[in-house]
Amino acid sequence: MFKYLRFLCFLFGMSVFFVKGSFAESYFQEPFEAVSNSNWLYYCNYSYDIPKNRSICDIGTSKVVYNNGSINLSSNDPNFPVIISKNNIVPTTGDFDIEIKFKYPSVANRGVGLGVGFTGTYGKLFSQFGIWNDSSSGENLKFYYNDFNTSSQNYCSNFTVSTNDLLGRITISNITLTDHEWHYLDIFKIDNFYYVFLDKRYGNTTPIFTTEIKNSCIPKIIWFGNYISDSGGDWTTFSLDNINISSASISSLTPTVEPTVTPTITPTVEVTPTLTPTLTPTPTPTPTEIPTITPTPTFTPTPTPTEVVRKKKIFVLPGLGASWNSRAIVYGDNVDDGDWKMTPFVNNYDGLIELLDKNSLIKDQDYFVWNYDWRKSIEEIKNKFNSFVSSKNLTSNDDIYLVGHSLGGVVARLWAQENKDNGNIKQVINLGSPNLGSLDVYSVWNGGEVLEYDGISSVAFQILLGLQNKGFLVTDLSKIRSFAPVVKDLLPTFDYVSKNNNLVSWNSLNSFNNYLSDKNNSISNVSNKLNSVVGVGMSTTEVLKLGGRSIYDELLGLWPDGELLSFTNNNGDGTVLQKSASFGTDNKSELITDHGAIVNDSISVIANKLGLENKIINFSYSDNFKDSLVVFVGSPATAELKCEGNVFSENDGFIVAKNESFNECNLTLSPTGNGLVHLVLGNTTENKWNYVEKEVGVGATDVVSVNFSNGQIVGDENKNSEDFLREQIRFDLDSLGLIGTVSDFDQNFLTKVAISIFKYREENNERVVTQRILNDLFELSNLVAWDKAVNNFNSMLDYVNFVENEVSNKSGISSISHNAAVSLAVLDDLRNKVVEMSEKSLETSYSMVVVLASGYGTEALRD
């Protein structure tokens, strides 16, 4: 009888092994019972760039100790031990599971971790998978992954010292595991996917990370410790108990049935000996029925998934400038929210949309891309998004996922905060979102300027500034602020201005962002659902150094906190600082990427957070606007740009021509109606922009020449620069009804025309068209005037200084009219132009300069 029982126990034990292991084949096993020089290289100082400085560890010292079936690493000096597998221990084919049992006995400010990856030249270590723990970075225990899927990383091959192992790295920070206890890291390769688990043996059967394998990137070695010398404090300690690499299959990912079987059989074996032989068969079926009855309660919830199917509803919110409506932007029309579309040539979100499509999600049913009027205040944008969500008639069975880039992420996060009690909101994914604001908007709000190219947002602002100011010479700041209140809502909410080398409190500045600051006080309402992807590795403005204001700034109301002198940078994505994008959550992933590329570079992270398969994305992102000539055509005309045989077509008012060392291009305007065409042209590399208005009529195709480097219109297809300027001036004179002045112009009395224009300005208070005429007269006179020469304008410089002093000595700045301030600014611009031309030995018309200077000066002193 007892032999029979032992045989049953044997069969049961074998069934448990087969259920759990499924005949798993072992490729590598390290129990860490003793030193194994055949498996491991032991270093107490590992310098990958200077191999001769490496030192082998003396096993048994305080740094590397084997104890009770585990290896323990620690250090009390600047160098921490590094243990590296001696051979390639991961199989190159088939499916496998790498199971590592690890523990952090203590965590200090200097970090220690483990990597599964590769060695490069000079033995440099590269981690495809890794864990790391320290107390100083604010990230605590983190997991990271890198598929090295770029050309500079040789697509996961031929690793060298120069290979950037941080490029493309995905990080999951602040993982909650108990220190001082053993944990399991499992890395499964199943078919063409990786699945990563923490403590799967303890019942955590949901992977913390999944990704599709790219370029057949399979790790080779395992290392653990820290190879970077650091004298900055105490070291974290690290222990390993076992490493086992074995074959795996899809069933390996399912929860083990071992805990369920064990309690069923154990009572049977224990009870059977206490029964008489005649009763032995009787108890046997009793426990057998228990497992068949146990599943019965699960029958009740079984219909639930079929009756109530949870559906994903994913909302994508693009960033500032990525949505467009020409009627609203050009003419200020009120348009329906649904009339805003993706800005032409914006491709930042194409990879994300491809991911959603490849997961069989249907646009406008399973996922929604919400384009919106980004000029409005964030509060108004948030309310409009709420209306958009409400219009989708979601049910209680719909799970809401929000994916927001830049401004879109801020809006998504604030909406989720406001709806904190909505249990259907599952995830809010921020991609480079300025949760503490961004310094990029400061110059727009306070100076009406875009200081440098920074993606579609800077292009959108340049077009907005050109249209609102009718040019780029003088800014009407109040008009910009009323037209785009969102700018104030994105000002930083941390100290970011320095005066006299001292930081100034952010909320003591002339304009400060109390809206975002107030909202951030309740960010904890959504921090458990907030996941932030943070771009790093790019120089990003952190502090602005301001000086005093010029008289022009004071008169025009510009730079109220002081003139911008310089700035200092810190880590970020080039637009949003690391600290701003990571604010409010411990759930963050850091990628070396810039603000425009962060969406496409986050595909793996997004897929993981949305619970989608991480498909191979064919789309490859490149910034369409970078190093380009951008032409925006406000109705009524369509356009085409030809640059030395290359044709660039218009898309909803936009033309974008990538720089190929072009000099001049021909812009063809084909009117679709009669009226005024508004043109904004600029080179994103040189950051030079121009605004032009042209009267067009149906049937009269117009072709103009454009300087590629600065976006200036310099002539047309059939006319040289002189003829083109004459046509423009004559057209503008006709539009003002100055018939007599046209006659003077036709007789080439250019200075007389200028005097007439100043008189017209005084009588009619018109400054847009007349300023364009005066600017064109200056350019024309430098081409054709009888007295043009390389002139010395010292007397003019003295006159400008006199005017400036007189204006400053007036009773008070408040008594100076806006027109007077503008004239003074234009006079200063004229002075700068003639000085620059004189230094370059370029000819100017002395008489025209005198007339313009005296005219602007008179206006500044009179108005």
Side-chain angles (χ1 to χ4, degrees):
M1 174 59 66
F2 288 104
K3 289 182 179 180
Y4 172 71
L5 290 173
R6 284 197 297 271
F7 179 69
L8 288 177
C9 291
F10 170 76
L11 289 178
F12 166 68
M14 291 301 293
S15 68
V16 170
F17 172 79
F18 290 137
V19 169
K20 179 181 179 182
S22 301
F23 301 99
E25 178 183 357
S26 178
Y27 299 124
F28 177 85
Q29 188 167 24
E30 176 58 71
F32 293 110
E33 295 289 347
V35 176
S36 177
N37 290 314
S38 62
N39 286 342
W40 303 98
L41 298 170
Y42 301 87
Y43 293 97
C44 278
N45 175 22
Y46 190 78
S47 175
Y48 65 79
D49 54 345
I50 310 179
K52 67 180 182 180
N53 289 348
R54 297 173 188 164
S55 61
I56 300 297
C57 266
D58 181 12
I59 309 302
T61 65
S62 59
K63 286 193 172 186
V64 181
V65 176
Y66 280 85
N67 182 32
N68 295 325
S70 65
I71 184 172
N72 307 289
L73 307 185
S74 62
S75 178
N76 293 315
D77 61 51
N79 297 308
F80 197 88
V82 178
I83 316 299
I84 307 170
S85 61
K86 197 169 186 178
N87 305 300
N88 296 340
I89 59 177
V90 181
T92 57
T93 60
D95 296 334
F96 56 77
D97 170 26
I98 304 173
E99 184 184 64
I100 303 171
K101 187 177 181 181
F102 69 94
K103 176 170 66 174
Y104 282 97
S106 63
V107 180
N109 62 307
R110 287 189 285 181
V112 176
L114 172 148
V116 181
F118 313 88
T119 54
T121 54
Y122 296 110
K124 181 178 178 180
L125 300 173
F126 296 89
S127 298
Q128 185 176 4
F129 304 86
I131 56 172
W132 194 265
N133 205 354
D134 62 54
S135 62
S136 60
S137 66
E139 297 180 327
N140 301 315
L141 179 64
K142 63 182 179 181
F143 164 82
Y144 55 89
Y145 173 80
N146 197 334
D147 58 14
F148 304 102
N149 188 37
T150 69
S151 58
S152 65
Q153 297 166 315
N154 295 313
Y155 297 105
C156 195
S157 64
N158 300 322
F159 293 91
T160 67
V161 172
S162 62
T163 301
N164 186 347
D165 59 341
L166 296 178
L167 179 64
R169 175 179 285 186
I170 297 171
T171 304
I172 302 174
S173 305
N174 294 293
I175 299 172
T176 303
L177 288 181
T178 306
D179 294 331
H180 323 296
E181 295 183 4
W182 291 106
H183 300 284
Y184 289 89
L185 170 69
D186 278 274
I187 301 169
F188 285 91
K189 176 193 173 292
I190 306 295
D191 296 328
N192 200 42
F193 285 86
Y194 286 123
Y195 303 84
V196 180
F197 296 83
L198 280 174
D199 285 346
K200 183 174 181 291
R201 277 186 177 243
Y202 298 153
N204 293 335
T205 56
T206 300
I208 65 167
F209 178 76
T210 62
T211 186
E212 191 167 11
I213 301 172
K214 299 176 181 178
N215 304 307
S216 300
C217 194
I218 308 294
K220 296 180 179 180
I221 59 102
I222 295 177
W223 68 270
F224 49 98
N226 189 336
Y227 53 79
I228 298 177
S229 179
D230 187 349
S231 58
D234 297 328
W235 284 103
T236 296
T237 57
F238 189 62
S239 301
L240 288 181
D241 179 84
N242 184 64
I243 297 177
N244 183 45
I245 304 177
S246 60
S247 62
S249 65
I250 190 66
S251 62
S252 307
L253 304 180
T254 60
T256 176
V257 297
E258 183 176 344
T260 305
V261 178
T262 303
T264 304
I265 300 296
T266 302
T268 305
V269 176
E270 293 176 348
V271 173
T272 300
T274 66
L275 302 175
T276 63
T278 57
L279 297 178
T280 299
T282 305
T284 304
T286 304
T288 305
E289 293 179 3
I290 293 173
T292 60
I293 295 172
T294 302
T296 303
T298 64
F299 180 80
T300 302
T302 300
T304 304
T306 57
E307 290 181 359
V308 182
V309 179
R310 308 296 303 177
K311 295 182 179 179
K312 284 185 171 67
K313 300 296 180 181
I314 301 168
F315 293 85
V316 178
L317 293 80
L320 191 152
S323 303
W324 201 262
N325 183 287
S326 290
R327 284 170 47 212
I329 297 290
V330 178
Y331 303 111
D333 290 353
N334 291 319
V335 299
D336 292 338
D337 295 341
D339 290 337
W340 287 81
K341 307 298 180 185
M342 194 71 76
T343 302
F345 298 98
V346 167
N347 61 345
N348 307 65
Y349 313 98
D350 290 4
L352 171 58
I353 292 171
E354 183 180 342
L355 171 71
L356 300 176
D357 289 340
K358 284 189 171 181
N359 274 268
S360 300
L361 300 176
I362 301 173
K363 187 177 181 181
D364 297 329
Q365 177 178 313
D366 302 313
Y367 74 90
F368 310 89
V369 179
W370 185 60
N371 294 108
Y372 56 94
D373 187 351
W374 43 266
R375 302 168 303 162
K376 305 295 185 182
S377 68
I378 291 182
E379 183 69 15
E380 185 172 349
I381 297 172
K382 175 176 63 67
N383 292 337
K384 287 184 176 293
F385 178 65
N386 186 68
S387 299
F388 179 77
V389 175
S390 298
S391 71
K392 302 310 167 188
N393 299 317
L394 303 184
T395 70
S396 58
N397 302 321
D398 293 325
D399 293 336
I400 299 173
Y401 294 83
L402 309 177
V403 183
H405 174 220
S406 195
L407 169 62
V410 176
V411 174
R413 188 257 294 182
L414 295 181
W415 181 82
Q417 277 181 222
E418 192 170 273
N419 293 274
K420 64 182 185 299
D421 297 327
N422 186 343
N424 287 16
I425 301 175
K426 301 303 180 184
Q427 296 280 345
V428 181
I429 303 173
N430 276 187
L431 308 172
S433 295
N435 290 307
L436 292 177
S438 172
L439 276 74
D440 267 23
V441 300
Y442 180 85
S443 64
V444 177
W445 186 257
N446 290 282
E449 294 182 28
V450 178
L451 297 181
E452 60 184 359
Y453 172 75
D454 192 23
I456 180 57
S457 61
S458 59
V459 172
F461 275 134
Q462 292 284 23
I463 294 173
L464 199 65
L465 291 169
L467 292 170
Q468 290 302 305
N469 293 318
K470 303 295 183 183
F472 291 88
L473 179 58
V474 178
T475 296
D476 187 340
L477 202 58
S478 61
K479 185 183 294 184
I480 296 298
R481 290 181 170 185
S482 63
F483 202 67
V486 68
V487 181
K488 183 183 179 183
D489 292 341
L490 290 173
L491 289 171
T493 58
F494 54 87
D495 295 343
Y496 64 97
V497 164
S498 171
K499 287 186 175 182
N500 300 318
N501 296 321
N502 294 313
L503 275 178
V504 178
S505 175
W506 65 273
N507 56 5
S508 66
L509 299 173
N510 182 270
S511 294
F512 57 90
N513 189 358
N514 55 336
Y515 173 81
L516 191 57
S517 176
D518 292 343
K519 293 295 183 182
N520 284 346
N521 290 331
S522 56
I523 196 172
S524 58
N525 292 341
V526 74
S527 57
N528 63 323
K529 300 177 182 179
L530 181 60
N531 295 272
S532 294
V533 180
V534 181
V536 296
M538 307 295 161
S539 183
T540 309
T541 305
E542 183 179 39
V543 176
L544 304 175
K545 184 178 181 180
L546 304 184
R549 299 172 77 191
S550 70
I551 183 174
Y552 311 104
D553 293 340
E554 291 187 41
L555 292 173
L556 295 171
L558 302 176
W559 303 107
D561 298 309
E563 183 181 1
L564 177 60
L565 302 178
S566 61
F567 48 83
T568 58
N569 295 334
N570 208 328
N571 197 13
D573 64 14
T575 300
V576 179
L577 285 162
Q578 179 186 30
K579 65 181 179 182
S580 182
S582 60
F583 173 76
T585 180
D586 292 332
N587 305 317
K588 59 185 177 182
S589 302
E590 292 188 350
L591 303 178
I592 297 180
T593 185
D594 63 44
H595 193 66
I598 193 170
V599 181
N600 206 61
D601 289 344
S602 304
I603 294 297
S604 296
V605 178
I606 297 171
N608 186 49
K609 298 301 181 183
L610 296 179
L612 303 177
E613 289 188 31
N614 186 20
K615 302 286 188 178
I616 293 177
I617 303 302
N618 296 321
F619 171 75
S620 179
Y621 171 78
S622 64
D623 187 345
N624 281 337
F625 294 94
K626 186 176 182 180
D627 193 22
S628 298
L629 174 66
V630 177
V631 179
F632 175 71
V633 183
S635 295
T638 59
E640 181 182 81
L641 190 71
K642 291 183 179 179
C643 301
E644 300 173 17
N646 297 272
V647 178
F648 301 93
S649 299
E650 177 210 342
N651 183 354
D652 197 18
F654 280 83
I655 298 175
V656 178
K658 278 287 185 182
N659 186 13
E660 297 182 18
S661 300
F662 298 131
N663 292 315
E664 286 189 5
C665 303
N666 288 330
L667 177 66
T668 301
L669 299 174
S670 301
T672 57
N674 301 321
L676 203 62
V677 171
H678 306 266
L679 297 174
V680 183
L681 311 92
N683 184 295
T684 57
T685 299
E686 300 297 329
N687 199 35
K688 294 180 178 178
W689 291 77
N690 297 275
Y691 172 81
V692 177
E693 292 178 352
K694 279 188 70 67
E695 189 76 26
V696 297
V698 176
T701 300
D702 203 352
V703 182
V704 296
S705 298
V706 181
N707 184 312
F708 193 95
S709 65
N710 59 23
Q712 283 188 336
I713 293 180
V714 294
D716 66 23
E717 191 175 42
N718 302 311
K719 301 179 180 69
N720 57 28
S721 297
E722 177 186 343
D723 292 339
F724 177 75
L725 286 169
R726 288 187 180 279
E727 182 181 90
Q728 291 295 108
I729 295 171
R730 186 178 291 105
F731 172 81
D732 283 336
L733 290 173
D734 285 337
S735 70
L736 296 178
L738 296 175
I739 307 302
T741 307
V742 171
S743 177
D744 291 335
F745 177 69
D746 289 339
Q747 297 178 65
N748 216 35
F749 299 151
L750 301 185
T751 54
K752 188 175 181 181
V753 172
I755 293 170
S756 298
I757 293 301
F758 281 114
K759 183 178 180 181
Y760 181 88
R761 283 156 69 97
E762 180 183 1
E763 295 172 350
N764 297 276
N765 198 30
E766 197 287 326
R767 293 301 180 98
V768 175
V769 178
T770 54
Q771 188 58 59
R772 189 162 60 233
I773 294 172
L774 293 173
N775 290 344
D776 287 344
L777 284 171
F778 174 73
E779 298 293 339
L780 180 61
S781 66
N782 294 335
L783 294 174
V784 303
W786 63 272
D787 62 342
K788 66 187 182 71
V790 178
N791 290 298
N792 186 332
F793 287 97
N794 289 331
S795 58
M796 177 205 170
L797 302 183
D798 292 338
Y799 174 71
V800 174
N801 291 333
F802 164 76
V803 173
E804 288 179 347
N805 291 331
E806 287 297 307
V807 172
S808 299
N809 291 332
K810 282 196 173 183
S811 58
I813 296 299
S814 59
S815 66
I816 306 299
S817 71
H818 179 76
N819 281 345
V822 170
S823 295
L824 187 62
V826 175
L827 178 61
D828 181 61
D829 183 67
L830 177 65
R831 169 176 58 183
N832 295 334
K833 282 182 179 178
V834 297
V835 169
E836 180 182 359
M837 294 180 71
S838 176
E839 291 174 347
K840 294 180 178 180
S841 298
L842 298 176
E843 295 179 329
T844 54
S845 168
Y846 184 84
S847 58
M848 179 60 72
V849 169
V850 170
V851 169
L852 292 177
S854 60
Y856 294 138
T858 300
E859 288 179 339
L861 294 171
R862 180 189 63 229
D863 291 345

